């Protein structure tokens, strides 16, 4: 008689930076999960603050992991995941941004997707404050790519695709469930992306080697704070440039890139539509493409830092 498999032991790895309200909201949501995070909750606090420490200490089973610098979510996720994996009983890592709100049944749904598929990574559908799909996974099945892009809401996507898991090429990492095997086999997130790309790169590796799935049966709100001030608008421009540089790097230099190159033009078009046609803006966009595609430098390298510093100075001069 085959002995029953042990129950999964899931730990949460959260990257945060000066978002106490969002982090508190996420921790409250995790406390209401249908499945208890028996592996613990680990919050890696970039450029750590007393306010974030207080939020963590007020939570139950939350470990605050201070980090001296803010060099993006990748290093923070690595800090949190590595700490969680020190417990040999941990079977899964739930990787989270601080600005998602996990529904009570989300963890169970992601675990069910992994069991049904035998994959090592599972992604939900993410939606924004307006209920629209946001950053959805890229299906491996070609026919599903057009289907998922025709849907506007998680409900429409679920009606079109059904609740069963589908293989993905890559997925946005605001909420991802990985098996322990994924980290044991692949290592950790790359730390030279700064932000907006290391999650795609890790999901690409997982999907190509161990299998990755997404499920329309799980819907997770992604609710970052609104960008209203001049400073946050500058931050938005710099993040956009990092995204373009990282996508350009992945599209030309990742062995797991799939068909990512076909989406580069659309992302640069969105950059111009959002940021405008000023010569400096266009030059920054071209520089992001050059550094990623030709110089083979992700956004967290010295080349990316120089590019963003130049862009920030230009915005300050306006």
């Amino acid at each position: 008689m085959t002995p029953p498999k042990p129950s999964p032991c899931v730990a949460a790895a959260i990257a945060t930076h000066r978002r106490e309200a969002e982090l508190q909201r996420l921790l409250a949501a995790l406390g209401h999960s249908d499945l208890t995070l028996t592996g613990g909750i680990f919050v890696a606090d970039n450029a750590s603050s007393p306010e974030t420490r207080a939020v963590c200490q007020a939570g139950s089973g939350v470990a605050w992991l201070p980090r001296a610098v803010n060099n993006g979510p990748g290093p923070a996720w690595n800090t949190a995941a590595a700490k969680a994996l020190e417990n040999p009983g941990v079977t899964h890592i739930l990787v989270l941004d601080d600005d998602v709100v996990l529904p009570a049944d989300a963890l169970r749904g992601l675990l069910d997707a992994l069991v049904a598929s035998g994959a090592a990574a599972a992604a939900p559908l993410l939606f924004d404050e307006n209920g629209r799909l946001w950053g959805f996974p890229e299906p491996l099945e070609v026919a599903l790519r057009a289907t998922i892009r025709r849907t506007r809401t998680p409900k429409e996507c679920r009606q079109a695709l059904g609740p069963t898991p589908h293989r993905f090429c890559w997925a946005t990492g605001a909420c991802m469930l990985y098996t322990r095997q994924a980290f044991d086999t692949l290592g950790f997130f790359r730390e030279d992306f700064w932000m907006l790309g290391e999650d795609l790169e890790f999901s690409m590796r997982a999907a190509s080697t161990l299998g990755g799935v997404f499920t329309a049966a799980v819907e997770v709100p992604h609710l970052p704070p609104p960008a209203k001030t001049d400073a946050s608008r500058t931050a938005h421009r710099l993040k956009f440039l990092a995204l373009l540089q990282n996508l350009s790097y992945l599209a030309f230099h990742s062995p797991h890139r799939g068909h990512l190159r076909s989406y580069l033009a659309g992302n640069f078009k969105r950059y111009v539509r959002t940021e405008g046609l000023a010569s400096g803006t266009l030059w920054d966009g071209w520089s992001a493409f050059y550094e990623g595609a030709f110089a083979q430098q992700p956004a967290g390298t010295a080349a990316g830092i120089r590019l963003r510093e130049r862009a920030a100075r230009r915005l300050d001069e306006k």
Side-chain angles (χ1 to χ4, degrees), residues 219-233:
E219 308 167 11
V220 174
H222 180 252
L223 307 173
K228 295 181 179 179
T229 66
D230 290 340
S232 60
R233 283 195 291 269

Side-chain angles (χ1 to χ4, degrees), residues 249-294:
Y249 172 80
L250 288 172
F252 285 90
H253 303 292
S254 170
H256 313 297
R257 62 181 174 268
H259 55 285
L260 185 60
R261 288 184 194 177
S262 63
Y263 292 116
L264 278 183
N267 280 282
F268 278 91
K269 181 179 179 180
R270 185 163 58 90
Y271 167 75
V272 172
R273 189 168 61 242
T274 303
E275 303 295 338
L277 287 167
S279 59
T281 302
L282 295 177
W283 177 253
D284 289 339
W286 160 253
S287 298
F289 175 74
Y290 175 85
E291 294 296 348
F294 292 100

Side-chain angles (χ1 to χ4, degrees), residues 192-207:
D192 55 354
F193 277 66
W194 183 51
M195 62 172 52
L196 302 174
E198 69 285 282
D199 55 341
L200 294 180
E201 193 277 336
F202 192 76
S203 73
M204 287 176 178
R205 277 190 279 151

